[in-house]
Amino acid sequence: MDEKEVYGNEVRKLRDSMGMNRKKFCDYYGIPYRTVQDWEAGKRKMPSYVLRMMKYVAEKEQMIKQLTAEMKAAAKILEFEHAAYLRDRINKLREEK
């Protein structure tokens, strides 16, 4: 397997890990469709720094998605705790009457 095929396989793995078809992947990174197609087919050599940058961006995007999910989960917990606090407060006010 030559260098072009190795990089092509890496691009395909990255695209698959992101859950994107080739069109979405190209649009996301702003790379012409034919270029990615040639990289994946091993017809064109891709600069190694481009692959590193693409992986870096994908990694950071995944971190953002994970943090967003964690923040949403934390917000739901806080909302539930706030609702429980309000219920307790209302019950105490009713008992004072």
Side-chain angles (χ1 to χ4, degrees):
M1 189 177 284
D2 72 355
E3 194 176 19
K4 288 187 239 178
E5 292 173 323
V6 170
Y7 282 120
N9 287 337
E10 288 295 314
V11 171
R12 192 175 306 109
K13 279 193 239 178
L14 176 62
R15 181 171 58 80
D16 289 343
S17 73
M18 295 174 74
M20 294 183 180
N21 62 33
R22 195 176 286 141
K23 170 96 172 87
K24 287 182 182 177
F25 186 79
C26 292
D27 290 345
Y28 181 79
Y29 282 107
I31 299 171
Y33 185 90
R34 184 62 184 248
T35 300
V36 173
Q37 187 177 38
D38 287 348
W39 285 343
E40 289 185 359
K43 294 180 181 177
R44 179 186 271 181
K45 184 178 183 298
M46 111 182 269
S48 61
Y49 74 90
V50 173
L51 181 60
R52 285 194 307 272
M53 292 303 295
M54 292 167 75
K55 286 181 175 181
Y56 177 82
V57 169
E59 180 183 308
K60 298 308 173 203
E61 181 73 25
Q62 184 58 36
M63 286 175 61
I64 290 168
K65 286 180 183 178
Q66 183 178 352
L67 288 171
T68 300
E70 289 175 11
M71 286 173 47
K72 286 180 181 179
K76 284 184 181 182
I77 291 169
L78 290 173
E79 184 179 318
F80 176 77
E81 288 175 354
H82 183 67
Y85 168 78
L86 290 176
R87 274 194 306 276
D88 290 346
R89 188 76 179 116
I90 290 169
N91 288 336
K92 285 181 183 177
L93 289 172
R94 285 181 179 155
E95 289 172 3
E96 290 176 6
K97 285 185 176 181

